Amino acid sequence: FDSDIFGGVRVSLNDTQDANFLTGLLVDTNDGSIQFAAEFSKRIGSNWTIDLEAVAFANIANENFLDSTRRDSNFKIVMTRYF
């Protein structure tokens, strides 16, 4: 973590569906390794929410501590019903 750059954005629309978007990008300036993460959440009606999450790794160098996660990029969708 000695020469990494991180940038992130959070957007909350403050609407009746409570839509939120969060994203971040971490870049290692020594070897060019990249980690990207994004989340989205929104209410659907009064009983449901949908959550989307994505994590991606790119350009991971063999000597980087993230090497063991180079193939662990993932995408998740969760729908929740409240009653």
Side-chain angles (χ1 to χ4, degrees):
F1 297 110
D2 56 346
S3 61
D4 297 340
I5 297 173
F6 177 79
V9 175
R10 179 184 177 105
V11 177
S12 182
L13 297 180
N14 199 22
D15 57 354
T16 57
Q17 289 85 24
D18 193 30
N20 291 291
F21 179 72
L22 174 68
T23 186
L25 182 71
L26 179 68
V27 178
D28 187 327
T29 59
N30 288 333
D31 61 22
S33 297
I34 299 170
Q35 178 182 3
F36 172 78
E39 298 178 12
F40 176 77
S41 177
K42 180 179 180 177
R43 274 192 256 160
I44 301 172
S46 60
N47 296 333
W48 291 89
T49 61
I50 186 165
D51 298 301
L52 308 167
E53 295 180 17
V55 176
F57 300 94
N59 226 18
I60 305 297
N62 291 337
E63 59 277 352
N64 192 298
F65 78 97
L66 289 174
D67 182 53
S68 62
T69 63
R70 89 171 45 240
R71 295 185 183 156
D72 288 345
S73 298
N74 62 72
F75 183 76
K76 179 170 73 169
I77 300 173
V78 176
M79 289 194 69
T80 307
R81 184 176 189 279
Y82 298 95
F83 51 93

